[in-house]
Amino acid sequence: MEQETLPEELADALVGVQRLIRRRLRREMPVPPLRSAEVELLRLVVERPGIGISEAAKELYLAGNSVSTLVNQLARQGYLVRETDPADRRAARLLPTPAAGARLGEWRRRRADLVRHQVSGLDEADRETLLAAVPALRRLADSLREEAGRP
């Protein structure tokens, strides 16, 4: 791989792996199926219970009304609870339900099993290369996150 083609090839590979993992998990997960945006919102609320809708929208790089729609869908399915923020009665705080924790835990377990199985089928050199690449990929994600937060 040439240095000048690295950005495009890396982006294509990452998107392809993520898409295939998502599709495989969607087929295996119990109903109702959750879209990737719903899973991302659930992950965020489980990690940061009490987060507000506008803060969640900023964190997920989505419009506030899009997050409100996701919240309504997830609340109807029993995964999120919306509480009034005591500091600002106009704002809502999002809390995960036990069902959300269970669903997300199952999703994480199945994702890890799927990736573990696929990685185990690779030769030792590929497994070592992937292991060595994880810290750089995390730094890349941090850099993208930091850059997105700048005006």
Side-chain angles (χ1 to χ4, degrees), residues 22-140:
R22 207 174 41 242
R23 285 182 181 163
R24 290 276 305 271
L25 289 177
R26 196 175 291 139
R27 284 195 318 237
E28 298 172 7
M29 287 299 292
V31 291
L34 296 178
R35 298 184 327 229
S36 57
E38 291 170 321
V39 172
E40 289 303 314
L41 179 57
L42 273 184
R43 288 173 66 185
L44 180 60
V45 174
V46 166
E47 289 171 10
R48 295 173 46 197
I51 190 170
I53 291 175
S54 61
E55 190 177 351
K58 182 179 176 187
E59 186 74 24
L60 296 172
Y61 306 103
L62 295 172
N65 61 342
S66 296
V67 172
S68 289
T69 299
L70 293 171
V71 167
N72 290 336
Q73 292 165 347
L74 291 167
R76 275 194 302 274
Q77 294 175 39
Y79 293 124
L80 288 182
V81 173
R82 185 191 320 229
E83 289 186 351
T84 302
D85 184 344
D88 180 356
R89 308 278 310 154
R90 299 167 298 165
R93 296 288 164 217
L94 305 174
L95 299 168
T97 65
R103 178 75 184 250
L104 202 51
E106 180 68 8
W107 178 83
R108 286 181 171 140
R109 185 190 65 74
R110 288 180 189 230
R111 181 183 63 174
D113 289 347
L114 171 63
V115 173
R116 183 180 302 107
H117 175 73
Q118 295 302 316
V119 168
S120 72
L122 299 174
D123 65 31
E124 184 67 24
D126 283 346
R127 288 194 304 271
E128 288 177 13
T129 299
L130 288 173
L131 182 62
V134 170
L137 290 170
R138 285 196 174 129
R139 286 190 298 275
L140 177 60

